[in-house]
Amino acid sequence: MSTIPIEVQDHNPHHSAPPGIKRWLLTTNHKDIGTLYLWFSLLMFLLGGSMAMGIRAELFKPGLQFFEPHFFNQLTTMHGLIMIFGAVMPAFVGLANWMLPIMIGAPDMALPRMNNWSFWILPFAFTLLISTLFMKGGAPDFGWTAYAPLSTTYGPKSTDFFIFSIHLMGISSIMGAINIIATILNLRAPSMTLMKMPIFVWTWLITAFLLIAVMPILAGAVTMMLMDRNFGTSFFNAAGGGDPVMYQHIFWFFGHPEVYIMILPSFGIMSEIIPTFSRKRLFGYPSMVYATCSIAFLSFLVWAHHMFTTGMPVIGEIYFMLATMLIAVPTGVKIFNWVATMFRGSLSFETPMLFAVAFLIMFTMGGFSGLMLAIVPADFQYHDTYFVVAHFHYVLVPGAIFGIMAAVYYWLPKWTGHYYSEHLSKVHFWLSAISINVLFFPMHFLGLAGMPRRIPDYALEFADFNRIASIGGFVFGASQLIFLYIIIKTIRGGEKAPALVWEGANGLEWTLSSPPPYHSFSTPPLVP
Amino acid sequence: MSPSPQFRALVFSLLLAMNPSVQADYIFNMTPGVTEISRGIHNLHMVIFWICVAIGLVVFSVMFYAIIWHRKSRGAKAANFHENTLVEIIWTLIPFSILTMMAIPAAQLLIKMHDTKTDSDLSIKIVGHQWYWEYEYLGEGVRVISRLSTPQEQIQNRDIKNPHYLREVDNHLVVPQKKKIRFLTTANDVIHSWWVPALGVKKDAIPGFINEAWAKIEEPGIYRGQCAELCGVLHGFMPIVIEVKTEAEYQTWLLEKKALMNNHPTIGHTP
């Protein structure tokens, strides 16, 4: 009664999934787990997004309209946590699950049972986190950064639930990352050398190392928080000899690589999509790989640029300024390479390419504001204002999230076997791309005029741009329902997609039928 | 299809946003402020901004050239180049040297900003509390508690809002003009951040730590700011108002304040 005979049967390409809920609960199939991750991420995106709608509604005009300040702080905190840990990171893991094995010619992920577990932890982690909204004393209200002592001595009771849910998310991420590294290093088709891997695989390999390096640091930080809150320690309590600034150092030593965890896979997606729709090979493949490696390495050396106003010695501030500026160099190289890929190509603008071009432009704009933020004296004026809010939303929404949307449109025909509606998806794109600028661009002005972030009410001189930003926010939020509709519609039916979905596409995933068989590459393919 | 009224309103508000003369309330840029340092910051800000604009123009022009002219629908055939080491080296070195040039004036200004040791004329200790500021004039025995003075009715939208809604306090921080003032920030409970944009000063007030900053303010007047670090429920409701007087007026104010504090030693203490 061993499982071996069943595994042997798996080589049958017509073998299909078990029916009903068991398929999803017990699955060890990388495609199913990828699907689970992606749906979970979409759900969290809509939930975190509806919280953002609440925030923008409250900020539509001066005065308190809908929420008390206490609940407003809970909204900003939960919005940040849900978007980062619930929407962006699981979406990338979902894409990795779906695509890495079929891009490198592997039959599945290297550790399929662990794969199941790393997904199924997430619904529990987020149930725990979201349940805090209904607790007495409310949900965490100290921002996603959870600075001590606001989160320790002064945190609400539910903070302990927040800590445990962070632990769970960390376990899930670490297991996911181990799985990805094991898959990439061990299961590549024999002739696929490292420098022949698709760039998306490369960026995920590097991202996975970042995850393994920094998630334990976050776990350590929140564990110390837990000790301070419940077991009388004083890691971050100045009155007991501890150091509240140390929390920030530890947090940002996690937090800065985390920023790159949320953008490197998007870089990889761009490096797949742009060559496809330019019908031209990626310019400078090796320098793209080296640039990604240097970004990842440098990301460990710049954490304190989030803390310039905490009162560092001048030499420390100068060092962190220089190191931060240095990251702009490899990032610039990537942008230049993508532009060079497009240059003298044969371009067409299907929806994935539209999102990719929007990514290039708006991510670069977010990079520019990042460069401005690196200049320490100027950072003293920008820090903790809406200028920072504008900056990180420019790199995260048209950056990470447009990258994810581009990937979904790019691979959706592969996953479902149907083309999506090009007309509807263009409506989705243009509404999103325009409204996102109406939403976030005025935030630069608000920050420069002196509006701090994380406030539920503001002085009258900030009223006009806040109103514009809110209008943009509502349009952007509503447009995402179109995205949901398109996805459901495409799953249900549509024009049949061939194996090679896009005429300019290259790579092993396009040698499989659309949708691919439940088990693919049981024997390793030949890489040209 | 005629555009809906909402769409028209959106376009109209966008057009408004592009034209600063229509509405005085649209502030687009950082103000240069009223100290040498804040003007230095403003200059750096403008320089790095224009550098970004220039790089952006070059990169986006090339991109849009390709988007417009190298379209498949125009019959463009893809070229075959995909590697050029020299180009890679050039576009690594150019940004690198631009950034290095930018770092030098930034570091110089930074060193100046950190110079709190020399020639300070007075020191003011700033203590952040949930949710108000306390100012202590060191060596003078004067203490000022400064709280939001905007009435609740205005916050709850039951009354018309003052022009300085949420940026007004009961007791101003009064300082003399043209004197080097040293600010020492700390906090009593959680981390706050003391920020007055016109002074170019933002410094975290951290329990158990004392941070330093300084300002030499040229023009008398009233300057406003607020707490910049999330410090709990009423974080958005602890503004800073600093009133800069001439030296003579300041001395008069200080004497009055001292007399008041001698007669009522409890004034200014936390209730």
Side-chain angles (χ1 to χ4, degrees):
Chain A
M1 288 301 289
S2 76
T3 53
I4 295 164
I6 300 167
E7 303 245 333
V8 171
Q9 280 172 24
D10 282 355
H11 289 289
N12 180 352
H14 301 295
H15 175 89
S16 61
I21 186 79
K22 268 189 161 176
R23 165 173 177 188
W24 303 105
L25 280 176
L26 306 179
T27 181
T28 55
N29 181 288
H30 73 100
K31 300 181 184 83
D32 281 356
I33 293 173
T35 306
L36 284 171
Y37 265 111
L38 287 168
W39 275 114
F40 179 79
S41 152
L42 188 58
L43 182 70
M44 288 296 129
F45 177 61
L46 296 174
L47 180 66
S50 55
M51 288 174 174
M53 296 300 104
I55 292 168
R56 282 323 314 173
E58 179 56 55
L59 293 175
F60 189 75
K61 59 179 190 168
L64 295 178
Q65 276 72 239
F66 303 104
F67 311 122
E68 285 306 302
H70 186 216
F71 188 67
F72 182 88
N73 288 346
Q74 298 172 36
L75 275 185
T76 52
T77 307
M78 295 301 262
H79 165 73
L81 289 168
I82 289 175
M83 285 304 198
I84 291 169
F85 295 104
V88 176
M89 290 167 71
F92 284 139
V93 183
L95 291 171
N97 257 293
W98 245 107
M99 300 316 297
L100 294 190
I102 62 179
M103 283 175 127
I104 61 174
D108 203 303
M109 296 293 278
L111 308 158
R113 281 173 208 280
M114 193 166 88
N115 204 8
N116 173 291
W117 195 30
S118 49
F119 171 75
W120 278 107
I121 285 176
L122 281 182
F124 294 94
F126 279 87
T127 308
L128 205 59
L129 182 67
I130 293 162
S131 71
T132 59
L133 279 168
F134 307 100
M135 287 177 188
K136 209 175 155 217
D141 54 2
F142 31 68
W144 84 277
T145 49
Y147 278 8
L150 188 61
S151 59
T152 52
T153 321
Y154 296 84
K157 283 218 160 54
S158 60
T159 307
D160 298 325
F161 288 81
F162 152 82
I163 291 170
F164 284 128
S165 77
I166 293 283
H167 279 142
L168 288 175
M169 293 170 205
I171 293 171
S172 161
S173 291
I174 292 169
M175 289 197 302
I178 290 174
N179 210 344
I180 285 166
I181 293 175
T183 307
I184 297 174
L185 294 186
N186 294 312
L187 297 188
R188 272 172 291 130
S191 50
M192 183 174 276
T193 57
L194 283 176
M195 289 309 271
K196 271 190 185 172
M197 293 196 309
I199 292 277
F200 180 67
V201 180
W202 256 114
T203 53
W204 241 117
L205 180 65
I206 295 161
T207 305
F209 276 104
L210 288 182
L211 274 168
I212 291 183
V214 300
M215 292 313 283
I217 296 168
L218 178 65
V222 295
T223 306
M224 284 187 260
M225 196 190 278
L226 186 79
M227 303 289 281
D228 272 13
R229 287 174 55 81
N230 297 293
F231 304 108
T233 58
S234 297
F235 289 109
F236 308 130
N237 179 5
D243 181 347
V245 180
M246 188 175 71
Y247 173 81
Q248 298 184 25
H249 281 291
I250 299 172
F251 179 83
W252 287 114
F253 195 85
F254 146 79
H256 201 79
E258 168 70 16
V259 170
Y260 290 95
I261 288 168
M262 291 191 284
I263 201 64
L264 292 186
S266 261
F267 285 177
I269 292 161
M270 291 305 121
S271 302
E272 302 302 325
I273 290 175
I274 291 173
T276 295
F277 296 99
S278 304
R279 291 166 185 80
K280 183 159 161 277
R281 260 175 73 180
L282 181 70
F283 188 84
Y285 175 100
S287 71
M288 287 303 236
V289 173
Y290 302 142
T292 311
C293 293
S294 11
I295 292 172
F297 175 72
L298 288 171
S299 77
F300 286 102
L301 307 177
V302 297
W303 74 91
H305 69 210
H306 298 268
M307 310 165 46
F308 283 141
T309 62
T310 56
M312 255 179 284
V314 65
I315 193 74
E317 289 181 336
I318 291 174
Y319 160 72
F320 281 109
M321 170 170 71
L322 292 173
T324 304
M325 288 170 136
L326 210 54
I327 290 202
V329 175
T331 315
V333 167
K334 297 199 75 104
I335 305 275
F336 301 147
N337 276 314
W338 287 321
V339 174
T341 306
M342 287 165 67
F343 199 78
R344 292 192 54 211
S346 172
L347 303 174
S348 61
F349 295 92
E350 287 85 352
T351 310
M353 185 61 167
L354 287 175
F355 274 99
V357 171
F359 171 98
L360 276 190
I361 295 170
M362 289 184 239
F363 178 79
T364 307
M365 277 157 58
F368 285 148
S369 54
L371 204 53
M372 296 171 78
L373 282 157
I375 309 285
V376 187
D379 177 79
F380 290 147
Q381 294 285 42
Y382 309 139
H383 179 74
D384 264 333
T385 69
Y386 262 80
F387 191 82
V388 175
V389 177
H391 160 70
F392 69 71
H393 280 98
Y394 259 91
V395 289
L396 276 176
V397 187
I401 289 184
F402 273 22
I404 293 164
M405 287 175 177
V408 168
Y409 283 120
Y410 186 55
W411 285 313
L412 197 59
K414 173 58 61 187
W415 299 335
T416 62
H418 305 126
Y419 279 106
Y420 55 83
S421 155
E422 197 65 47
H423 174 71
L424 265 180
S425 62
K426 283 199 165 124
V427 172
H428 171 229
F429 168 77
W430 284 108
L431 277 174
S432 301
I434 294 168
S435 61
I436 202 137
N437 286 295
V438 179
L439 165 59
F440 293 125
F441 207 79
M443 290 187 184
H444 292 112
F445 305 139
L446 285 171
L448 294 176
M451 179 169 164
R453 60 192 283 211
R454 293 168 167 167
I455 56 174
D457 195 4
Y458 47 81
L460 301 181
E461 62 257 42
F462 307 133
D464 299 296
F465 281 132
N466 266 300
R467 197 167 50 238
I468 295 172
S470 288
I471 293 169
F474 300 144
V475 177
F476 182 75
S479 328
Q480 302 325 307
L481 298 175
I482 306 175
F483 184 48
L484 179 68
Y485 175 75
I486 294 170
I487 293 172
I488 294 172
K489 192 165 170 273
T490 312
I491 292 172
R492 294 222 167 144
E495 192 195 331
K496 288 262 176 287
L500 185 66
V501 174
W502 311 107
E503 63 163 353
N506 275 303
L508 289 176
E509 76 261 42
W510 310 110
T511 61
L512 296 171
S513 61
S514 302
Y518 196 59
H519 296 283
S520 41
F521 293 131
S522 303
T523 48
L526 277 175
V527 182
Chain B
M1 190 182 81
S2 73
S4 67
Q6 288 87 347
F7 181 73
R8 260 186 243 145
L10 179 71
V11 170
F12 183 64
S13 46
L14 277 175
L15 287 176
L16 270 182
M18 285 164 193
N19 186 354
S21 62
V22 178
Q23 245 283 10
D25 275 347
Y26 289 102
I27 308 167
F28 284 89
N29 202 355
M30 187 190 282
T31 54
V34 290
T35 67
E36 195 195 332
I37 297 289
S38 70
R39 276 199 304 274
I41 292 176
H42 183 261
N43 284 342
L44 277 179
H45 160 71
M46 290 319 290
V47 171
I48 188 77
F49 170 73
W50 287 115
I51 289 178
C52 291
V53 169
I55 299 175
L57 276 179
V58 173
V59 175
F60 296 149
S61 314
V62 177
M63 186 193 294
F64 276 100
Y65 183 86
I67 288 175
I68 294 165
W69 296 104
H70 301 157
R71 278 173 182 259
K72 195 190 174 209
S73 55
R74 278 182 185 261
K77 293 267 178 293
N80 201 25
F81 64 89
H82 56 82
E83 218 151 12
N84 190 325
T85 315
L86 182 68
V87 169
E88 300 278 356
I89 291 172
I90 290 171
W91 67 37
T92 307
L93 287 183
I94 290 178
F96 187 80
S97 41
I98 294 176
L99 292 174
T100 319
M101 283 185 324
M102 193 58 219
I104 294 166
Q108 282 168 339
L109 184 66
L110 193 61
I111 289 166
K112 210 186 264 179
M113 293 174 92
H114 271 264
D115 178 24
T116 49
K117 304 290 181 293
T118 52
D119 301 331
S120 71
D121 299 301
L122 74 156
S123 296
I124 296 173
K125 185 170 128 190
I126 300 169
V127 186
H129 296 263
Q130 283 183 325
W131 290 275
Y132 60 92
W133 295 100
E134 175 191 350
Y135 304 108
E136 190 183 335
Y137 293 70
L138 294 180
E140 305 283 358
V142 171
R143 196 190 286 260
V144 174
I145 299 282
S146 185
R147 291 171 190 272
L148 177 74
S149 64
T150 303
Q152 269 299 315
E153 285 70 35
Q154 295 187 12
I155 297 174
Q156 301 296 341
N157 301 315
R158 290 194 295 266
D159 202 352
I160 293 167
K161 295 178 172 46
N162 295 333
H164 293 297
Y165 174 73
L166 294 188
R167 294 207 141 186
E168 49 195 354
V169 295
D170 50 2
N171 298 305
H172 295 176
L173 168 64
V174 178
V175 295
Q177 170 198 14
K178 291 178 181 154
K179 295 278 179 194
K180 183 165 179 177
I181 311 155
R182 192 162 67 120
F183 298 110
L184 303 171
T185 64
T186 186
N188 195 43
D189 32 54
V190 299
I191 301 176
H192 303 266
S193 190
W194 195 80
W195 180 33
V196 180
L199 272 51
V201 172
K202 182 187 286 146
K203 212 62 170 172
D204 287 4
I206 304 170
F209 282 71
I210 292 180
N211 274 331
E212 292 181 303
W214 67 271
K216 196 173 189 175
I217 307 157
E218 286 138 13
E219 292 299 313
I222 290 180
Y223 306 106
R224 295 167 201 274
Q226 63 189 100
C227 180
E229 179 64 57
L230 177 61
C231 58
V233 175
L234 298 185
H235 160 57
F237 304 88
M238 49 184 292
I240 298 154
V241 181
I242 178 165
E243 187 176 344
V244 183
K245 292 178 184 284
T246 60
E247 174 66 13
E249 283 172 342
Y250 168 72
Q251 289 301 340
T252 319
W253 175 86
L254 198 64
L255 282 175
E256 275 171 21
K257 208 75 189 170
K258 274 184 192 169
L260 204 64
M261 298 218 48
N262 287 338
N263 295 338
H264 309 275
T266 51
I267 287 182
H269 284 276
T270 318

